[in-house]
Amino acid sequence: MKYPEELVKPIREEVVRMGFAEARTPQDVQREIGADSRTVLVFVNSVCGCSAGIARPGLAKALAQGARPDKLLTTFAGVDTDATDYVRSLFPQYPPSSPQAALFKDGKVVAVIQRHQIEGSTADRVAALFNTVFDQHCAAVR
Amino acid sequence: MTKNCDLPLHGITVVVDTPGERLYIGRYHSENEEGILLQDADVRDLEPGTTKAEYLARSAKYGVFKNCDRVKVPHSEVRSVRRLIEYAESES
């Protein structure tokens, strides 16, 4: 059963305000993740508390400083199910989790942050986790 | 009465280690006199040649390879309960 749109709308809007483009279909994902030199962060959003209280605030902090991906893309677990399934099919060695974030470079996944790395943590610690990944793979913003 | 959501580990992915070769990895939900209830769990009897340390490091890196929606682990099987993230290996 999918979550009702009125529940997810403000959650979608929160990440769109951070600069994420929404991918609601597999085709949306395919269009944005190509074999070029760009880095693309895909955030698998969710309605759970650790997404609201830790992952999204942590991501917002991480994106506000230092290196960051060239593109930001989001799907919504339990809502945009085809798009989310397609994204996850690109890194099958990682089991599904919500929330979840994957960084792609040249069309290949180079890092995945899973729910168990987020839950029970803090927004600051998760921001540091994202910043470490961005510093390793993304160019600094000039 | 304590609500489940007030339990310190509620919603956290934990490893329940046992005295034998079995590991339980899943999201801690609640606990009562019967045992610990985990959700979206990996109930794993290790294959020969795989150590618990190796399997837990892999799970901490990749995530939980769920094979069970809900499982109650009897207290008699519990040797320890720790967060999965504690088994992550440093990449540096």
Side-chain angles (χ1 to χ4, degrees), chain A residues 5-70:
Chain A
E5 187 59 30
E6 62 267 28
L7 174 71
V8 302
K9 186 168 181 281
I11 306 174
R12 286 186 189 281
E13 290 171 351
E14 185 180 342
V15 291
V16 168
R17 280 196 300 275
M18 283 186 229
F20 283 82
E22 288 189 279
R24 297 197 179 195
T25 68
Q27 292 73 29
D28 291 343
V29 179
Q30 286 166 347
R31 264 196 303 275
E32 302 299 336
I33 300 176
D36 57 26
S37 61
R38 289 180 305 175
T39 49
V40 185
L41 180 72
V42 183
F43 177 59
V44 178
N45 204 353
S46 73
V47 298
C48 73
C50 63
S51 184
I54 305 167
R56 294 197 298 272
L59 196 45
K61 283 188 177 190
L63 291 170
Q65 56 196 356
R68 53 180 285 160
D70 297 310

